[in-house]
Amino acid sequence: CGGSVSDSSGVLQSPNYPGSYPNNADCVWEIQVENNFRVTLTFRDIMMQSGTCQHDYIEVYDGPLHSSPLLGRFCSGSFPTYVSSSNMMSVRFHSDSRYSFRGFQAHYSSIPAGHNTTIQCLPDYMHVVVSRNYLQSQGYSAQRVTLNDNRCRPTVTSREVVFNIPYNGCGTTQQENNDTINYSNTIRVASSGYVIKRKKNINLHVSCKMLRKSWQQVVYAAEDAVDVDEYQFGRYAMNITFYDSPAFRRQVRSSPYFIDLNQNLYLQACLHSSDPNLKVVVDTCVASPDPRDFNTLAYYLVRNGCPRDSSYATYYSPSSHFARFKFNAFEFMSRHPSVYLKCQMLVCRLGDYSSHCYQGCSSRAKRDTSSAEEEVDVVVGPLQLRGGDAPSGNSG
């Protein structure tokens, strides 16, 4: 029983429903719907051992089971409805070794958060907007909205309460699992009662989950400009810039980047993140005349951290968010008007010496990303030979 549920609507029910549920059951359903949607859960039938709800009971949590507020615990009575404050809700059903009954049935669906609460995962911070109309409709004041760290204040406008929550501050916590590096914080809405309180405080749990094994392609020319509109999906933002010397002081802003055969090319990859505990390295770089096809005609400069071109070399970087490297323009450029590079970067936790960021060249044909790494793919170009410099010699 239990499990992960991702459909936009569905039915939850106790094991064997409408027959008697088994003894010693402990079922947990995790309902996760689309971003910026909420879960609404309505119970249609409840028949369990009543009383103090110590033996058989249902619990509803506003998010993951072990890290979220308890919305309700019950075993009989009226049929309640719950609405989550994010796109996730957990339901737990527990029975002991004594009596057994019909159990429960509930229906859930997803509803748009609309203008109530929205979350965007930007490169340096979480952008969270809470509607003042929503707060006022629930009887709460916008002046009583805070973060875990109440020194980090929101911007309050006539319509919204806006938080820009850094990934490395304001009480933001970090947690790693097999799939993501999670950055989480809690927006707390306190009841305004001073002597007595008839309303619960609201905890809005906001989280940006940066996917480890996602692939991000950013196509752009040699100037330091990039058009990326996928940040809200929680992918690390990365770009690569050409420099005119190994000092890495002056960027090359011309596009296309016209070069000479065998010219030294200096590149710097930059990870855009406010989290200082990340490290980026070059894992694989492959060249192709087609920015959409890096398989048919491909030339590897480095693969799985192992240099494939004799001119490829890395440079010391003053920041773990930078990865610097160089190579020489190669001869097959003479047969194609433009060449593009596709570089796969690894993002790891700083100081994780078991990760590929620190292990360097791997002899394995296929590398498995460890629990603290993400692969990010960047396409850069075009590179073009200067006029009159195309030789007629052998291809490289």
Side-chain angles (χ1 to χ4, degrees), residues 172-225:
T172 300
T173 60
Q174 301 176 20
Q175 183 181 18
E176 300 181 20
N177 61 34
N178 290 334
D179 301 314
T180 57
I181 298 175
N182 299 341
Y183 301 94
S184 302
N185 211 312
T186 303
I187 298 175
R188 306 186 185 278
V189 187
S191 173
S192 57
Y194 291 99
V195 180
I196 62 173
K197 286 201 306 184
R198 297 192 185 276
K199 288 182 174 291
K200 292 182 179 180
N201 295 337
I202 297 178
N203 292 329
L204 299 175
H205 293 268
V206 295
S207 177
C208 283
K209 299 182 178 181
M210 312 304 280
L211 300 173
R212 298 186 187 281
K213 296 184 179 180
S214 64
W215 290 85
Q216 176 186 357
Q217 288 207 0
V218 184
V219 180
Y220 63 99
E223 72 268 16
D224 190 21

Side-chain angles (χ1 to χ4, degrees), residues 110-152:
S110 59
I111 56 174
H115 58 274
N116 290 345
T117 305
T118 60
I119 303 172
Q120 285 185 294
C121 300
L122 299 173
D124 295 322
Y125 55 87
M126 289 182 275
H127 180 73
V128 183
V129 178
V130 183
S131 165
R132 290 193 67 174
N133 286 339
Y134 164 69
L135 295 173
Q136 291 165 2
S137 70
Q138 301 298 312
Y140 295 93
S141 167
Q143 308 305 321
R144 299 182 65 82
V145 181
T146 63
L147 281 177
N148 278 338
D149 185 345
N150 57 21
R151 294 172 296 180
C152 298

Side-chain angles (χ1 to χ4, degrees), residues 75-331:
C75 56
S76 61
S78 60
F79 300 159
T81 294
Y82 296 96
V83 179
S84 66
S85 62
S86 66
N87 66 330
M88 187 172 182
M89 178 185 284
S90 296
V91 180
R92 180 188 182 196
F93 168 72
H94 176 81
S95 66
D96 67 0
S97 59
R98 300 176 68 185
Y99 307 107
S100 183
F101 298 85
R102 186 170 68 239
F104 78 92
Q105 185 181 74
H107 178 268
Y108 81 89
S109 60
S110 59
I111 56 174
H115 58 274
N116 290 345
T117 305
T118 60
I119 303 172
Q120 285 185 294
C121 300
L122 299 173
D124 295 322
Y125 55 87
M126 289 182 275
H127 180 73
V128 183
V129 178
V130 183
S131 165
R132 290 193 67 174
N133 286 339
Y134 164 69
L135 295 173
Q136 291 165 2
S137 70
Q138 301 298 312
Y140 295 93
S141 167
Q143 308 305 321
R144 299 182 65 82
V145 181
T146 63
L147 281 177
N148 278 338
D149 185 345
N150 57 21
R151 294 172 296 180
C152 298
R153 308 298 301 175
T155 299
V156 180
T157 70
S158 60
R159 296 184 178 183
E160 300 170 333
V161 179
V162 181
F163 283 96
N164 290 328
I165 308 171
Y167 296 132
N168 193 52
C170 291
T172 300
T173 60
Q174 301 176 20
Q175 183 181 18
E176 300 181 20
N177 61 34
N178 290 334
D179 301 314
T180 57
I181 298 175
N182 299 341
Y183 301 94
S184 302
N185 211 312
T186 303
I187 298 175
R188 306 186 185 278
V189 187
S191 173
S192 57
Y194 291 99
V195 180
I196 62 173
K197 286 201 306 184
R198 297 192 185 276
K199 288 182 174 291
K200 292 182 179 180
N201 295 337
I202 297 178
N203 292 329
L204 299 175
H205 293 268
V206 295
S207 177
C208 283
K209 299 182 178 181
M210 312 304 280
L211 300 173
R212 298 186 187 281
K213 296 184 179 180
S214 64
W215 290 85
Q216 176 186 357
Q217 288 207 0
V218 184
V219 180
Y220 63 99
E223 72 268 16
D224 190 21
V226 59
D227 180 18
V228 183
D229 57 3
E230 299 293 318
Y231 295 137
Q232 64 268 30
F233 298 109
R235 295 179 174 92
Y236 284 114
M238 187 93 64
N239 75 327
I240 294 179
T241 307
F242 288 99
Y243 282 79
D244 66 352
S245 77
F248 291 93
R249 292 194 183 96
R250 191 166 56 191
Q251 298 177 8
V252 175
R253 299 187 179 275
S254 60
S255 178
Y257 183 15
F258 290 98
I259 57 177
D260 298 316
L261 193 63
N262 211 37
Q263 174 182 334
N264 287 324
L265 302 179
Y266 305 96
L267 299 92
Q268 176 176 274
C270 178
L271 170 67
H272 300 280
S273 174
S274 62
D275 184 354
N277 298 310
L278 297 176
K279 179 180 176 64
V280 60
V281 299
V282 182
D283 181 70
T284 299
C285 268
V286 57
S288 169
D290 186 346
R292 297 168 301 276
D293 180 5
F294 286 88
N295 295 311
T296 305
L297 262 180
Y299 177 76
Y300 282 90
L301 300 168
V302 55
R303 191 171 191 178
N304 296 336
C306 304
R308 293 293 186 87
D309 183 276
S310 60
S311 68
Y312 176 86
T314 58
Y315 287 88
Y316 166 79
S317 172
S319 167
S320 63
H321 284 195
F322 296 157
R324 293 175 170 178
F325 57 103
K326 59 86 66 172
F327 63 92
N328 293 359
F330 31 83
E331 286 191 19

